[in-house]
Amino acid sequence: MTTREEVDPVSAVCPECESPVQTSVQLRLSEVIDCADCRTELEVVAVEPVLLALAPEVEEDWGE
Ligand SMILES: [Zn+2]
């Protein structure tokens, strides 16, 4: 089989530092990734095109 999979890295821009963020191809909505540059957590708010937003800060204490 000669299936050619062209995997284009999806690039988006970090809303925090405006650096291009390379993301995986199979992004899903609401997925949270880290900006490699500023380490900010970014939430995927849209795909095609990928749009990132600052992820809401999750408090570590979930009140368990
Ligand atoms: Zn950043």
Side-chain angles (χ1 to χ4, degrees):
M1 289 208 312
T2 55
T3 309
R4 209 174 60 174
E5 265 187 58
E6 290 196 20
V7 181
D8 277 329
V10 181
S11 65
V13 176
C14 171
E16 180 74 8
C17 66
E18 297 189 346
S19 291
V21 181
Q22 297 265 310
T23 64
S24 61
V25 182
Q26 302 278 337
L27 273 184
R28 294 187 177 190
L29 279 179
S30 300
E31 194 170 324
V32 175
I33 61 175
D34 290 331
C35 172
D37 219 38
C38 66
R39 301 279 176 171
T40 300
E41 290 197 323
L42 305 171
E43 182 179 355
V44 180
V45 294
V47 293
E48 295 183 43
V50 175
L51 188 61
L52 300 175
L54 298 181
E57 290 221 9
V58 179
E59 296 189 22
E60 289 189 18
D61 187 341
W62 273 50
E64 230 175 89

